[in-house]
Amino acid sequence: MSEERQVSKNVIEVTDLSKAYGRVKALSGLTFSVAKGEIVGFLGPNGAGKSTTMRILCGMTGADSGEAQVCGVDLAEEEGEVRKHIGYLPENNPLPEDLRVSEYLKFRGRLKGLSGGRLRERLEATLNLCDLRRSASERLIGNLSKGYRQRVGIAEALLDEPKLLILDEPTIGLDPRQTGIIRKLLDRLRGETSFLLSSHVLSEVEASCDRMLILNRGRIVAEGTLQELQAEYLDNTVFEVVAGGERSVIEKIAKDIDPLCELIDENPTTATGRKRFSFCTPQGESSAESILKEFVNQSVTQTREFNIARPDLESIFLKATKRSWEQTDSFRENLREVSATLQPDEEDEEGAR
């Protein structure tokens, strides 16, 4: 087992994981992995199965079937061992309001098996890392703002230097300054600690995460870096050019390079007479770049700006989940049609009787 942990490339390995609550399937054949040092965004609509997955990985609930490993340790066999490698911040983190921050962290450190100099060392390190030493270490938790409480929760999760940190909505309800502090904290730990970060604040996921997993109906419906997802879910390349000249001239230059390119909008920009022309093409970014080169070569256009617009994570999220719903509905419709063909006619049933 120890040799397997040393050679394992991934901190999380989940294979065909399933979980149901009564007739409701929370997870249905879930499979994904998280590499060492990776910050992975775990996204999905409410009820997609994110919290269930995180609770299974933390050993707080069991799966019905499938396999899950953390740091090479099988959850089904060594649940207690797995917990030593994980720090967990739940969405609604219950904190004792009558304890000071330092008291609470000392208490939690002892529960994690820390003591003596090691406890003092880790307490100091996490207070500094989460920017709590000077501003909040001796304050009552009950008097802290939401942002400070989130940082206390992250400090507690980091106390025993986990290899994996699972964060459920770490920036929910925080103002931009507090959110920025959490983002800086992730950057400090990038490469050292692996993160599985669930959040509905997609702009923060986009800014902080190396890769995204989009979950719907208990399955991964899309995964990859932002660039990979943009390439998969971008039907047309949209680009803008700030240039001079008549619309007909600008449009002809573009179509001479790419006949499928369409001019979709034009707007005046400055008193210089230039306009911002928006195009779209199904031929990809290489076509857009070729058109740009031609604009630059044509002195009549007086080209000054060029920009390729890429879809943000919110657009990708909506497209990926919509696609998964459509695929499921199509499958159900096909299943109903097959069932109907296999169902004997009522007249045949009467004759058989």
Side-chain angles (χ1 to χ4, degrees), residues 6 20 116 152 159 183 212 216 218 220 245 252 270 301 349:
Q6 290 175 1
V152 171
L159 271 172
R183 189 192 300 175
M212 293 81 178
N216 196 28
I220 300 296
K252 183 178 184 305
T270 65
T301 66
E349 289 182 355

Side-chain angles (χ1 to χ4, degrees), residues 315-331:
S315 301
I316 294 168
F317 175 88
L318 294 172
K319 284 188 176 182
T321 51
K322 180 182 178 183
R323 181 186 295 180
S324 72
W325 283 104
E326 290 173 345
Q327 289 172 343
T328 302
D329 291 341
S330 175
F331 172 78

Side-chain angles (χ1 to χ4, degrees), residues 272-300:
T272 61
R274 296 188 185 91
K275 295 180 180 179
R276 185 177 300 276
F277 296 95
S278 298
F279 297 86
C280 72
T281 174
Q283 303 283 63
E285 292 189 11
S286 60
S287 175
E289 291 169 356
S290 297
I291 292 171
L292 166 65
K293 291 178 182 177
E294 187 60 27
F295 276 130
V296 172
N297 291 335
Q298 297 273 359
S299 58
V300 66

Side-chain angles (χ1 to χ4, degrees), residues 131 148 151 174-182:
D131 198 19
Y148 272 111
R151 282 149 61 186
L174 303 190
D175 63 35
R177 177 182 172 278
Q178 294 166 338
T179 298
I181 291 173
I182 301 294

Side-chain angles (χ1 to χ4, degrees), residues 22-37:
R23 295 184 178 181
V24 178
K25 285 188 176 182
L27 302 178
S28 182
L30 183 67
T31 299
F32 71 92
S33 63
V34 174
K36 291 180 179 179

Side-chain angles (χ1 to χ4, degrees), residues 98-306:
D98 57 343
L99 289 182
R100 301 185 187 280
V101 172
S102 58
E103 293 172 338
Y104 170 69
L105 293 178
K106 285 178 185 177
F107 169 70
R108 293 295 300 168
R110 293 190 184 101
L111 291 181
K112 293 172 182 282
L114 302 175
S115 62
R118 175 62 175 161
L119 175 58
R120 290 191 295 272
E121 174 192 336
R122 289 305 304 154
L123 181 63
E124 186 73 17
T126 53
L127 284 170
N128 287 330
L129 187 62
C130 297
D131 198 19
L132 294 168
R133 161 55 66 197
R134 291 179 297 176
S135 57
S137 64
E138 298 307 315
R139 293 175 61 185
L140 289 173
I141 292 175
N143 294 333
L144 297 179
S145 67
K146 172 72 172 177
Y148 272 111
R149 291 186 185 215
Q150 289 294 83
R151 282 149 61 186
V152 171
I154 295 175
E156 185 274 329
L158 288 168
L159 271 172
D160 54 346
E161 294 185 284
K163 297 177 181 177
L164 170 66
L165 199 60
I166 297 177
L167 306 178
D168 193 356
E169 300 289 350
T171 61
I172 189 169
L174 303 190
D175 63 35
R177 177 182 172 278
Q178 294 166 338
T179 298
I181 291 173
I182 301 294
R183 189 192 300 175
K184 288 180 181 178
L185 176 61
L186 296 180
D187 287 337
R188 290 179 196 170
L189 295 168
R190 187 184 299 275
E192 301 175 8
T193 305
S194 298
F195 288 85
L196 187 64
L197 190 157
S198 173
S199 178
H200 286 101
V201 185
L202 300 186
S203 59
E204 287 305 315
V205 174
E206 189 173 337
S208 301
C209 295
D210 303 312
R211 189 164 58 92
M212 293 81 178
L213 304 173
I214 301 179
L215 191 70
N216 196 28
R217 288 184 167 182
R219 293 179 180 272
I220 300 296
V221 297
E223 63 179 304
T225 65
L226 181 59
Q227 291 73 27
E228 290 169 343
L229 291 173
Q230 286 170 337
E232 180 178 355
Y233 287 92
L234 182 60
D235 298 326
N236 288 298
T237 297
V238 178
F239 62 97
E240 297 178 337
V241 175
V242 174
E246 295 297 324
R247 176 190 177 102
S248 58
V249 174
I250 297 296
E251 189 170 19
K252 183 178 184 305
I253 293 173
K255 281 190 170 292
D256 284 346
I257 301 297
D258 177 1
L260 298 179
C261 183
E262 296 290 339
L263 177 57
I264 57 177
D265 196 16
E266 65 171 305
N267 291 291
T269 56
T270 65
T272 61
R274 296 188 185 91
K275 295 180 180 179
R276 185 177 300 276
F277 296 95
S278 298
F279 297 86
C280 72
T281 174
Q283 303 283 63
E285 292 189 11
S286 60
S287 175
E289 291 169 356
S290 297
I291 292 171
L292 166 65
K293 291 178 182 177
E294 187 60 27
F295 276 130
V296 172
N297 291 335
Q298 297 273 359
S299 58
V300 66
T301 66
Q302 302 176 10
T303 303
R304 290 294 181 269
E305 293 181 30
F306 178 81

